[in-house]
Amino acid sequence: MSRILIFGGTTEGRLLAEYCHEQKKSAWVSVATGYGKTVLPESPYLLIQETPMNEEEMEQFINHNGITLVFDATHPYAAVVSKNIASSCEKTGAKRIRVVRESLTKKEDGGAGEHVIWVDSVEEAVLFLQEKEGNILVTTGSKELARFTLLDSFEERVYARILPTVSVISSCEEIGIKGKHLIGMQGPFSQELNEAMIRQYDIRYLVTKEAGNAGGFQEKIKAAEACQIKSVVVGRPMAETGMTLKEAKEILFAYDAGDDFQVDGGSQEDPSTIRNVCLIGIGMGGPEQMTVQAVKALKDSQVVFGAERMLKSIEDMIPGVKQIPYYVSRDILPWLEEHKEYKKIVILYSGDTGFYSGAKKMMEAFLDESNQSTYETEILPGISSVSYLCSKLKTGWEDAKLMSLHGRQGDVAEELKRFHQVFALLDGTNTVNQVCLRLIEEEFGEVKLSVGERLSYADERIITGTPVSLKDGKFDVLSAVWIER
């Protein structure tokens, strides 16, 4: 089971992820951008979470995925993110290790003299540059670039080196830095390349953060000195304690997800091999149709399977939970066999799990002798289409004949001869129009017929008429019909 979570987006985060791949240790890697994902190795041992998370979402993610060991390898200047990681680990009981980038022990190590100006913040750097003339190369990242637009003639003076992604470039253009003033490249950069950029754009001041050797800091400082320009260096916001990358790798090497892992003097839950599978009927269209018990099971899950439209209807409920668009056992079981780190599994079904549902065959697969010792199963029913439609029509259905023509054979007219009420699920072959024609053929042209389309969705439509009046209408292929005589 993957109990390791690496907060990355940095060189250290990438190297830790690569080390997990080399050691065949399963780990989650959280990056804030799609670009952060592209620099990670493709590996069956790495599970990628590629959207930013706030403190609450981090806490939820750690709980959902049974995380016991967290590596905070975020950027040295990402103080808010590190604070949120520390808080979420404290609340969940996960062990947090801060991976500290090697820093300069003193300012003189980065270069002394008039060519290096040390400031405590980006704001202070802007204040210093307000009194200066000449072009500026900003290498502090796009998030703080807007502060440099306070400088006079910033459109002509400021050149920004940024990540080459559409979203970053667009955000820079929105604040007025565009065209040749945007240098979209992924670093770190050599001293020679830095020198070439300085000369190309006639730079007089280079603005950087003291990001340590992994951030290419020394190469910037040496390039500025060689080109006889000034470096404006933003010092780190606060002194940090933690582990080096080498020490973090040693922890990873010794870590075994199958062992009881001590966290703050306590022990984690028994790492049982039993995996919990819950088959959930989600009703007609989404969360409002689900039972409280089903919602709880969903929020406690680690991976959720289902048709794409079902996953889309509940995705806001389960941030951080992996979603897979599979819904038959021949796809789901092999996937689970390859991803044994997932212990809390949910499979979604529309309507009610006991009413013409694929849940029956799925349960049979999990109850097969070869799977019984691995999986513990549970079924949570939902609201069926027949109960929903009859509630809308303000009628009961206890005496009705219930049938499905969705991929099945059946004759509505013959059933209506034996029952006063018939409910049927239809499909693209057995349509409302064909049912109407069949009823008319058997002299049921004037019985009461109600058609339910897109039940419970915003564009729900329920039409009541007779087979004669509805035979030429246009209806959704997955309609449900209620017939009374």
Side-chain angles (χ1 to χ4, degrees), residues 17-37:
E18 290 177 354
Y19 188 74
C20 285
H21 168 70
E22 293 166 3
Q23 296 297 319
K24 297 183 178 180
K25 290 182 180 290
S26 182
W28 282 96
V29 183
S30 176
V31 293
T33 65
Y35 190 84
K37 179 181 178 180

Side-chain angles (χ1 to χ4, degrees), residues 86-106:
S87 178
S88 61
C89 287
E90 182 178 354
K91 291 178 180 177
T92 59
K95 176 71 174 180
R96 170 183 173 266
I97 294 174
R98 172 58 174 157
V99 182
V100 179
R101 178 172 293 182
E102 185 179 356
S103 179
L104 303 171
T105 57
K106 51 185 177 180

Side-chain angles (χ1 to χ4, degrees), residues 70 72-76 82 96-100 240-244:
V70 175
D72 176 4
T74 56
H75 197 277
S82 281
R96 170 183 173 266
I97 294 174
R98 172 58 174 157
V99 182
V100 179
E240 285 193 296
T241 59
M243 290 187 179
T244 64

Side-chain angles (χ1 to χ4, degrees), residues 149-219:
T149 63
L150 299 174
L151 297 170
D152 293 337
S153 304
F154 76 89
E155 300 96 332
E156 290 79 32
R157 295 181 62 202
V158 174
Y159 290 79
R161 195 160 70 189
I162 58 174
L163 288 174
T165 66
V166 173
S167 60
V168 170
I169 292 172
S170 297
S171 67
C172 293
E173 291 178 336
E174 288 176 1
I175 63 175
I177 300 177
K178 59 185 71 174
K180 68 177 183 179
H181 288 260
L182 291 177
I183 306 169
M185 299 179 70
Q186 167 68 22
F189 306 94
S190 66
Q191 178 180 334
E192 292 75 17
L193 185 53
N194 284 321
E195 289 182 24
M197 290 185 185
I198 289 169
R199 295 191 178 102
Q200 173 69 28
Y201 299 107
D202 191 24
I203 300 300
R204 305 313 305 159
Y205 295 90
L206 184 149
V207 184
T208 182
K209 291 178 177 178
E210 194 279 280
N213 292 331
F217 175 76
Q218 292 287 357
E219 288 77 6

Side-chain angles (χ1 to χ4, degrees), residues 67 218 246 297 385 398 407 428 431 446 451:
I67 301 298
Q218 292 287 357
K246 180 181 179 182
S385 53
E398 61 270 12
T431 65
E446 298 301 324
V451 181

Side-chain angles (χ1 to χ4, degrees), residues 1 3 258 269-276 340 343 373-374:
M1 178 179 182
R3 294 187 175 184
E269 63 185 15
D270 177 29
S272 172
T273 57
I274 294 294
R275 305 167 76 181
N276 301 108
K340 294 183 178 179
K343 301 294 185 183
S373 60
T374 304

Side-chain angles (χ1 to χ4, degrees), residues 324-336:
I324 307 292
Y326 294 163
Y327 49 86
V328 293
S329 60
R330 66 174 178 269
D331 295 326
I332 293 176
L333 285 171
W335 192 96
L336 290 174

Side-chain angles (χ1 to χ4, degrees), residues 394-463:
K394 298 180 173 57
T395 187
W397 50 278
E398 61 270 12
D399 297 323
K401 169 63 179 179
L402 308 181
M403 59 188 304
S404 174
L405 301 181
H406 184 63
R408 299 166 181 265
Q409 297 297 319
D411 190 334
V412 171
E414 287 298 321
E415 297 297 343
L416 194 60
K417 292 177 182 178
R418 299 192 299 127
F419 296 88
H420 287 279
Q421 298 168 320
V422 174
F423 172 87
L425 296 172
L426 307 182
D427 64 10
T429 301
N430 298 289
T431 65
V432 174
N433 308 93
Q434 289 175 322
V435 167
C436 287
L437 293 175
R438 176 62 181 144
L439 290 171
I440 293 171
E441 182 182 349
E442 293 295 326
E443 298 183 354
F444 289 124
E446 298 301 324
V447 298
K448 184 178 179 180
L449 174 65
S450 297
V451 181
E453 302 174 281
R454 303 279 297 169
L455 296 176
S456 85
Y457 286 89
D459 56 347
E460 170 185 285
R461 186 173 73 149
I462 298 176
I463 298 177

